[in-house]
Amino acid sequence: MSVQSSLLGTSLHTASLSRSAKRCAKQRTCCFKASDTGIQRQQTGAHDQLPVESTRGGRRASSRLVQTLQKQVQKETVPWFQGMLQPWLDGVPPPLTDTVSPEQLADFDSKFVTVDSVRLHYKEAGTAGPGKPTVLLMHGLNGSTFSWRDVLQPLSEQGGSKGCRVIAFDRPPYGLSERPLTWPAGPEGNPYTSEAGARYAEGLLKALGIPQAIVVGHSAGALTAMELFKRNPSIIRGFVFVAPALPSTSTKRVQTEQKRKQDSKDSFIWRASLGQQLQRLYMRALLQNENAGLNYIRKNLQKRRDEVALGKLQVYADAEQEVKQAVIEGYLRPMLADNWDRGSLYSYRAFSFPSDMPYEEIRQPVMFITGEKDGALTRGAKKVADLLKAEGQCSTEYVEYERCGHVPMDERPEDFLHDLQRFVTDVGSERQPTPDADSLTDGVDDAPLPLYPPLKTAPVQG
């Protein structure tokens, strides 16, 4: 399809809208007449006698409507078509010349470990020991260990009655972890799915000799946390979902085909217009092409990089919040790592959002930390929290901060750290299973799942 044919289709669509608008204005024209009791509004049909002024007013209104629709098409639809077609026209993307190995970008406290043939980057603070729980921090899309820069050390010192061990790692293709370009065939081969992120999290804990951890997931990291739960429930001692991107439907609700059909009406596909569905299908086709997909990813992420370089993170509730240069550089550093572009492309291809999660199976304590300005994600988190409370199988706490957007640990760092420390202390006060030699070599599938008392619930903040 050429740009000209796309614009032709847009013009025909606009002309059709114009004719419809004129018919609508002609058939339902409103006029006003004076009476003893004031001004009365009358609706007249297309065949009634109309005052000349009213007819002219209707035509002017119709003309303004057409002009507005034309401007909207020119502003939204035409640029979208051009943006989607350009990657196909750009040809073979040249090799990147400004990237280096992740090890060259590492900090003094960076560590690396190989899990399932993939080299993972992680950081940790605190030490293990009796009565000292372990906390695993998992970032969201386009995040990294840098997302937890203000959490790692203070949480390790104050979380739990004796401190705790805190670990954060980069989930491929983010941060300084390796971005594989090839992988074994099969459902578990792709390193860029949420399931793969869970597999890496489990492998990392096993490699570090950790049988159980309190898992903290931010945004899409919460989705990975749930995938880890599905994979190995006993490895999780408690959940903290931070601005979580989670489905609001429990697997229990979609066991029958009839209920599945009903729940599917809440899905994006059901709600989306025909144009949105076509755009989604076209985007999938574009990303499946190696050259066009790579051109598209580079252009959009490099544009986003330029915005971040100006301090426009676009994730804070306060758009005017000052962003320090060190923070800007920390968020941009992963785009200097080898294969950041292809890793992002393969991640976009692999990403899928599940329709449901087995919330009814959770027995571990759960805390939600959200921001009131985070829109649909906050509303979804509240639904999941209400669902867990209704199930009554686990203690559930929901915290919402005022004037806070998608990144509570950046926007409300003191409140966030206080609530997280309190949760870790409450959960960590229970007896933690001691790993034996078999658990360190054979995994933790058979580790006992402890029983947890209700948390000391705090009032909703904000």
Side-chain angles (χ1 to χ4, degrees), residues 1-224:
M1 178 186 290
S2 65
V3 175
Q4 290 84 353
S5 63
S6 299
L7 296 179
L8 175 61
T10 302
S11 299
L12 292 174
H13 178 62
T14 304
S16 175
L17 291 173
S18 173
R19 290 193 295 271
S20 299
K22 288 179 179 179
R23 286 196 301 270
C24 178
K26 184 176 180 181
Q27 292 172 357
R28 296 185 60 81
T29 305
C30 296
C31 68
F32 297 86
K33 73 173 185 178
S35 69
D36 295 336
T37 58
I39 301 298
Q40 293 182 342
R41 184 178 186 273
Q42 289 187 337
Q43 289 186 338
T44 61
H47 301 293
D48 295 336
Q49 186 68 32
L50 299 175
V52 175
E53 293 80 1
S54 180
T55 303
R56 290 175 179 172
R59 289 174 179 171
R60 285 195 296 269
S62 175
S63 177
R64 287 195 296 270
L65 174 61
V66 171
Q67 292 174 2
T68 300
L69 291 172
Q70 288 175 335
K71 290 180 180 179
Q72 184 175 355
V73 169
Q74 292 172 355
K75 181 181 179 180
E76 299 178 3
T77 307
V78 173
W80 185 86
F81 272 117
Q82 292 174 336
M84 290 295 98
L85 288 171
Q86 192 60 46
W88 298 94
L89 304 177
D90 288 340
V92 179
L96 295 177
T97 58
D98 59 348
T99 62
V100 297
S101 69
E103 285 81 0
Q104 291 178 262
L105 299 170
D107 295 313
F108 72 94
D109 57 346
S110 291
K111 298 181 180 181
F112 293 85
V113 63
T114 299
V115 175
D116 285 355
S117 302
V118 175
R119 193 162 172 77
L120 300 180
H121 170 253
Y122 73 100
K123 293 186 176 185
E124 65 177 324
T127 58
K132 301 176 71 173
T134 297
V135 180
L136 178 65
L137 305 174
M138 298 202 289
H139 61 78
L141 297 181
N142 298 313
S144 67
T145 55
F146 185 76
S147 303
W148 308 105
R149 63 195 179 280
D150 296 327
V151 177
L152 268 167
Q153 189 61 41
L155 181 61
S156 71
E157 296 171 355
Q158 302 176 36
S161 58
K162 302 178 181 179
C164 60
R165 185 181 186 183
V166 187
I167 300 167
F169 82 103
D170 291 334
R171 188 175 71 256
Y174 307 112
L176 302 184
S177 286
E178 180 185 358
R179 295 157 171 85
L181 301 184
T182 59
W183 52 84
E188 288 208 345
N190 193 322
Y192 299 110
T193 63
S194 295
E195 294 83 356
R199 190 171 70 248
Y200 293 137
E202 181 185 34
L204 174 64
L205 293 176
K206 181 178 180 180
L208 299 180
I210 300 170
Q212 221 177 33
I214 298 169
V215 178
V216 182
H218 173 240
S219 193
L223 195 64
T224 305

